[in-house]
Amino acid sequence: MEIVRCLILGSGPAGYTAAIYAGRAGLNPVLYEGLQPGGQLTTTTEIENFPGYPDGVDANAMMDDMRRQALRFGVEIRPLMAVKAELGQRPFVITLDDGSQVGCWALIIATGASARYLGLPDEERLRGAGVSACATCDGFFYRKKTVAVVGGGDTACEEATYLAGLASKVYMIVRKPFLRASKAMQERVMANPKITILFETNVLSLLGKEGVEGAHLVRKKGTPEESTMDIAIDGFFLAIGHDPNSRLFKPWVETDESGYIVTQGISSCTNVEGVFAAGDVADPQYRQAITAAASGCKAAIDAERYLAANGK
Ligand code: NDP
C-alpha cells in the first residue's frame, strides 16, 4: 500500500488551500477530489465576495485557478472519492471508490457539506438558473426582484432577511404553521414589510423554462381546505439545512449533534491526533469560501507541525 505524508480529502476552497500550503511546505500532499471536483462553489455562477477579484470571478474559473496553484507546488491531485476511513491505527488508511487503499501520517478532512434540496426534478433542471441554496452567494443577482425562500429555521430567516435587503419582495415558504427559528429571528422576519410568510405551504413544482419564473404551491395539503396557488418569482432559495459530509469519519472523529466535525479551539485539530478538519465539514456557522480557505490554511500548518513533531 502506498503511504503518503499528508492526504487531503476534498477539492473545495478548504482542500485546495490546504494543498497549496502543504505543497509549499514540502509535505508532498496527495489530494482526492471527491464526488464534486471544485466543491459546492461549482454549483453557483459568479463570486463577488472573494477578496482580490474587484470585478467578480466565475466560480468554476476560481476553483480551476486554485487547482492550478496547487499543482504548481507539486500537489498530486487524483479524481477518486474516499469510501472508507480507518483512523484507529497509524498510518491511517483510506479506501477509495475504485477499491484501492492509501495510507497517510496526517489526514486533512475537507469534504464539505451538501445543501439539502427538496428533491423536485425542477430544482435540478433550474439549478444555477434561479435555483440556489446560498443567499449570500447569489442574492445580489435578485436586486429589486421577487424571490422565495423555503424553510422555517434560522438559516431561512437569516437568508430571507438578507434577501429582503436586496429584492423587492421575499416569500418564505414554510411547511408547518409556525417557524422553527429562534424568537429573535422570527420577530425580525415578521416585522419586515418585504417578507410574506406562507405557512403550511409546500412546493409542488417550479415554473419557467430557461430560468425560474414561478412556483406552484399547495397549501394545507391533505386537509379539507387544501388548495393550490402559483406565485411569480425570479429566484428560488433552499434553506432547509445542510448535511456535513462526515459520515465516514464518525466512528473515530468527534462530531456535534448535526454531524459537523468538532475542532479544538481556534485550531483545525480533531480529537484524533494527526487528523485535521477544514471547511464546511467543520463549520456550522459561516460556510463561506473565504472562511473555508482560511481553515484549509490552518489545517496545513497544523499538519506540518504535527508531522515535524512526530518525525514523519
Ligand atoms: P433547521 O433544521 O433548523 O431548519 C430547517 C427548516 O427547513 C425547518 O423549518 C424545516 O421544517 C424545513 N425543512 C426541512 N426539510 C424540509 C422539506 N423537505 N420541505 C420543507 N421544509 C423543510 O436548519 P437551519 O439550516 O435553519 O439551521 C441549522 C442549525 O444552525 C440550527 O441549529 C440553527 O439554529 C443554526 N443556525 C443559527 C443561526 C444563528 O443563530 N444566527 C443562523 C443559521 C443557523 P420543519 O420545522 O417543519 O422541520
Side-chain angles (χ1 to χ4, degrees):
M1 183 178 63
E2 179 192 18
I3 296 173
V4 302
R5 290 173 76 199
C6 178
L7 191 72
I8 300 165
L9 299 177
S11 57
Y16 279 141
T17 305
I20 291 163
Y21 272 76
R24 283 191 86 233
L27 304 186
N28 307 113
V30 170
L31 178 149
Y32 285 96
E33 287 178 314
L35 195 59
Q36 190 176 41
Q40 287 186 78
L41 280 184
T42 58
T43 65
T44 70
T45 46
E46 202 185 348
I47 302 176
E48 294 184 325
N49 52 7
F50 200 95
Y53 298 98
D55 303 316
V57 58
D58 175 83
N60 284 284
M62 187 174 93
M63 295 320 298
D64 200 48
D65 282 348
M66 287 193 194
R67 188 178 197 279
R68 288 193 298 118
Q69 197 171 349
L71 287 171
R72 190 182 141 204
F73 296 113
V75 178
E76 195 170 326
I77 298 175
R78 300 178 183 171
L80 301 174
M81 186 173 94
V83 292
K84 189 176 173 198
E86 291 163 79
L87 309 182
Q89 64 202 59
R90 302 288 189 288
F92 307 122
V93 177
I94 301 295
T95 305
L96 289 316
D97 56 352
D98 67 348
S100 64
Q101 292 192 314
V102 58
C104 62
W105 297 110
L107 176 68
I108 296 177
I109 303 171
T111 46
S114 304
R116 288 189 205 133
Y117 284 79
L118 295 171
L120 304 171
D122 292 330
E123 284 173 327
E124 199 55 52
R125 186 172 61 82
L126 296 168
R127 202 177 285 191
V131 173
S132 168
C134 179
T136 329
C137 316
D138 298 327
F140 189 73
F141 304 111
Y142 299 94
R143 247 169 202 278
K144 301 205 174 9
K145 296 191 172 172
T146 301
V147 298
V149 178
V150 186
D154 280 321
T155 302
C157 290
E158 210 165 66
E159 305 233 323
T161 305
Y162 176 78
L163 287 164
L166 300 163
S168 55
K169 184 173 179 63
V170 179
Y171 290 104
M172 280 185 78
I173 302 172
V174 181
R175 66 181 175 183
K176 292 226 173 97
F178 54 86
L179 294 172
R180 178 204 284 238
S182 59
K183 193 116 187 71
M185 293 299 275
Q186 290 192 27
E187 283 167 3
R188 200 174 303 167
V189 294
M190 302 275 193
N192 193 319
K194 282 192 184 172
I195 301 175
T196 300
I197 307 178
L198 304 175
F199 286 110
E200 293 179 86
T201 303
N202 283 283
V203 183
L204 293 173
S205 60
L206 296 175
L207 313 173
K209 280 206 160 55
E210 304 290 310
V212 170
E213 289 171 15
H216 183 48
L217 310 176
V218 58
R219 302 192 74 172
K220 301 202 171 193
K221 195 172 186 317
T223 73
E225 298 126 89
E226 177 174 322
S227 62
T228 58
M229 66 184 278
D230 290 351
I231 54 171
I233 51 170
D234 306 290
F236 183 75
F237 289 84
L238 282 309
I240 58 172
H242 279 77
D243 293 317
N245 300 319
S246 61
R247 188 181 49 82
L248 296 189
F249 317 104
K250 275 190 182 168
W252 295 275
V253 173
E254 187 192 343
T255 56
D256 71 9
E257 65 283 358
S258 307
Y260 289 93
I261 293 177
V262 175
T263 50
Q264 294 168 8
I266 59 162
S267 80
S268 69
C269 302
T270 69
N271 60 309
V272 180
E273 252 192 90
V275 177
F276 308 91
D280 287 12
V281 74
D283 177 8
Q285 273 297 327
Y286 302 104
R287 297 196 292 250
Q288 300 298 300
I290 189 71
T291 51
S295 68
C297 159
K298 293 203 291 189
I301 292 173
D302 290 338
E304 181 192 354
R305 290 181 183 157
Y306 167 80
L307 290 168
N310 289 276
K312 296 295 178 196

